[in-house]
Every structure is written in C-alpha cells, then in structure tokens.
Amino acid sequence: MKTTTSLISLASLAAASASFAAVPNTGEQRAYVGSLYMGNESLRQSSSFLNGLLAGTAGVSAGGNYADYDFDDDTDRRFEGDFETMSGSIGYLHEFEGFNIGVAATFVESDFEADSTTTNPGVVETDGDGWILTLGASKTWERLALSVKGSVGELSFDSTRSNAFAPKNSDYDLSMYQFELVGEYAAITKEEFDLSPFAKLGYISLENDGFAESNSADDISFGDYEDDLPYAELGVKATLKTLGSFAPYATASVWQDLGDDEVELEGAGVNPIDVPDVAETVIKAGLGFGWMANDSWTFGGQLGFFSGDEVDGFILGLSGTYSF
C-alpha cells in the first residue's frame, strides 16, 4: 500500500513539474513586444530627420539620432527595462517652383533588455538592425508651412529569453510603415523671435513575423503580431533671432496614441495576452539650434526629453547640410 501511495505521489509530482515547465513566464512572453517599441522609435528618428530636411534648403544632408528609453512595470505589461536606438541618415532635398521634395535613407541599430516583474524572474534581450526609406514634400506660404511624408522599412531581430530553464534563442523580422502630415503656423513673427504652434497627424503600422524559440523545456512559438498606431501631436516652437546666423529654439508638445493602445500575442504554448503599447500619452520638451556656417554649410542639433505612461527618456540629434 505504501509503495502504491509513493508511486502515486511521484507521478503527481512529475505531472506538476511537467505542467510548470509547459507554462512559460508571462512577463517574459510579453517582453517580445519590445520589437514594436524599437520599430516605433526607429520611425520617429527617420521622420525627425526628414522634417529637418524639408525645412531646409536644397542640398545633401547627413545626420544621426540617439534615443534612450526607461520603462517601468505598468498594468498588464509585467516587465520593466530599457532600450536604446541609434540611427544614421542621408538625404537629398530638391527645390521646385513652389514646393520641395525630399528623400532619405536611415540605417538603424537598437538594443532592448526587459526583466519580468512576475514571481518567476526572467530576462529578454533583443538586438535589432535595419533600414527605413522616407519620401516627403513640403510647401510654404507666408506664415503656414505644410509637409507630408511616407516611410517604409524593415528591422531584423535576434532575441534571447533566459530564466530557470535553458536560454531560448529566436530571430524574426519587423516590417514598418508610416504616413505623417505636419503643419506649422508662424503666429508671432518679430525681429527678436518667432512663435509657431505646430500639429502632426500620422499613422504607423508595425507587423512582426511569427517565430519559434530554440528547443527548451518551456519554449514557445508566436504567430504574426502587429500594432496600428494612429496618433496626433500638438505643440509650440519658439525661435530666437537675435544671434545672427545662429538660431536656438525650444519646443513643447503633447503626443497622443489615438488607437487601441495594446498588442495581442498568441501562439503555441501560450494563451492569448494583451500587452500595452510603449505609451498612450507623452509630454515632450526640447532645445535645439540651427546654424548657417556659410553659404554652403548649415548645421543643426537637438536635445529632447519625454515622459508618460511609466516611460521616460531623452533623445539627441545632429545634422549637417551642404547646399548647392
């Protein structure tokens, strides 16, 4: 009788262990949306570069951008961490009679690390790189400037998920699309300064390929997942004009996600789960400058800070244009 009882107990323990192994840490699962977070920031950097290009003069431009994000645990997120995104861009602006056309190529590298905040600790680390092509047009009237642009790109990722079981590796691709309309109006124009409110209305589509982790006791596979982000941004820009060819400026704005604010993950070995986007509402502030060194060379730079929805960080950008 004791032998039978012992066998039943061992069988129950084995079944419980197998069940535990078959259910991966949901905090770690959710951290795979980091690819979408990095894609979103990559598009922002390429868009920022082309915005500066379209506001300048005809010529060839080059620039770089860097962003550092820190995010805390949030409702239904169940992980915390940080990521960095760096990009280099080259572009060309051609002036036609009455409007400008600009095109740019952006090359991106990004690193993401997330720690699960559930009772079973684990880490997801992701490295990504890729490209974005952006085409835009702009037109300026006396006080009003409008621009429209579209972007397409792709990032490739390598991820490692580590916990009590063997490390699990995976690789996958992310396709990115963006459309944005920007308007700026010079409401106040004086000899000393300009004050210009601006507005942005855009749409981002991020589509991640499905993938399977390398073999482990708790490996999982995901189907394709995506995120659609209609958004709006309202802000104001103040430019100082008393320093000759050097023009510093300051900006403040509010960015708002107009979509459903979440991503659904589902696949083999995992129940469908909804994960919040990186942020729903973001407050931004920035300082920058434009400097016309001579008739041929113009340089620009910016430093920005942002905060919202358990995420905050900073951005840096530098660019130079050779006009001809």
Side-chain angles (χ1 to χ4, degrees):
M1 184 69 175
K2 290 182 178 180
T3 301
T4 302
T5 302
S6 298
L7 290 173
I8 292 174
S9 299
L10 288 172
S12 299
L13 180 60
S17 299
S19 176
F20 176 76
V23 180
N25 188 321
T26 58
E28 296 164 23
Q29 292 175 16
R30 293 163 186 261
Y32 277 117
V33 301
S35 62
L36 305 181
Y37 294 179
M38 291 187 282
N40 196 341
E41 171 56 25
S42 299
L43 287 170
R44 188 208 64 78
Q45 292 189 11
S46 66
S47 178
S48 175
F49 176 79
L50 193 68
N51 280 339
L53 184 72
L54 291 172
T57 57
V60 177
S61 297
N65 276 273
Y66 171 82
D68 186 292
Y69 283 64
D70 289 310
F71 49 88
D72 298 323
D73 188 12
D74 196 1
T75 304
D76 294 328
R77 183 176 283 161
R78 300 186 187 176
F79 63 84
E80 61 185 9
D82 61 81
F83 71 91
E84 299 175 324
T85 301
M86 297 165 285
S87 66
S89 301
I90 55 174
Y92 171 72
L93 178 71
H94 189 86
E95 293 182 344
F96 293 91
E97 186 174 351
F99 67 98
N100 298 335
I101 294 288
V103 61
T106 300
F107 304 93
V108 181
E109 288 191 3
S110 192
D111 301 306
F112 175 91
E113 182 174 335
D115 298 291
S116 61
T117 56
T118 56
T119 55
N120 299 317
V123 179
V124 171
E125 298 175 288
T126 301
D127 297 324
D129 58 71
W131 55 270
I132 301 170
L133 296 178
T134 307
L135 177 66
S138 65
K139 183 174 177 59
T140 301
W141 292 267
E142 290 186 1
R143 292 187 176 222
L144 177 65
L146 293 177
S147 66
V148 60
K149 55 187 175 293
S151 301
V152 59
E154 183 174 287
L155 297 178
S156 297
F157 296 102
D158 294 306
S159 292
T160 299
R161 183 167 68 95
S162 305
N163 55 14
F165 300 98
K168 295 148 284 287
N169 300 316
S170 56
D171 57 85
Y172 44 93
D173 296 323
L174 174 74
S175 298
M176 306 177 292
Y177 309 90
Q178 182 182 30
F179 176 83
E180 186 177 80
L181 176 65
V182 181
E184 183 174 317
Y185 181 75
I188 300 176
T189 58
K190 295 182 176 295
E191 291 186 4
E192 298 83 8
F193 68 93
D194 288 345
L195 189 65
S196 305
F198 64 86
K200 299 180 182 179
L201 185 64
Y203 174 81
I204 290 174
S205 175
L206 304 167
E207 301 177 2
N208 204 102
D209 292 341
F211 61 89
E213 295 180 326
S214 57
N215 189 38
S216 175
D218 71 331
D219 63 348
I220 58 175
S221 62
F222 280 117
D224 297 352
Y225 55 95
E226 63 183 17
D227 194 16
D228 296 317
L229 288 165
Y231 63 90
E233 183 175 352
L234 295 175
V236 63
K237 177 180 179 181
T239 304
L240 184 64
K241 298 165 30 179
T242 59
L243 300 178
S245 60
F246 183 79
Y249 64 85
T251 62
S253 64
V254 178
W255 182 94
Q256 180 67 43
D257 183 351
L258 303 177
D260 58 11
D261 193 35
E262 63 184 19
V263 179
E264 183 178 70
L265 300 177
E266 58 183 346
V270 55
N271 294 323
I273 48 179
D274 293 328
V275 188
D277 290 336
V278 65
E280 183 178 3
T281 304
V282 179
I283 306 299
K284 299 181 179 183
L287 296 173
F289 70 89
W291 175 45
M292 183 176 292
N294 52 47
D295 291 339
S296 298
W297 287 98
T298 303
F299 299 93
Q302 60 174 327
L303 169 63
F305 300 91
F306 57 88
S307 180
D309 299 340
E310 306 301 330
V311 62
D312 55 63
F314 68 92
I315 59 174
L316 293 170
L318 289 172
S319 64
T321 299
Y322 178 74
S323 302
F324 48 82

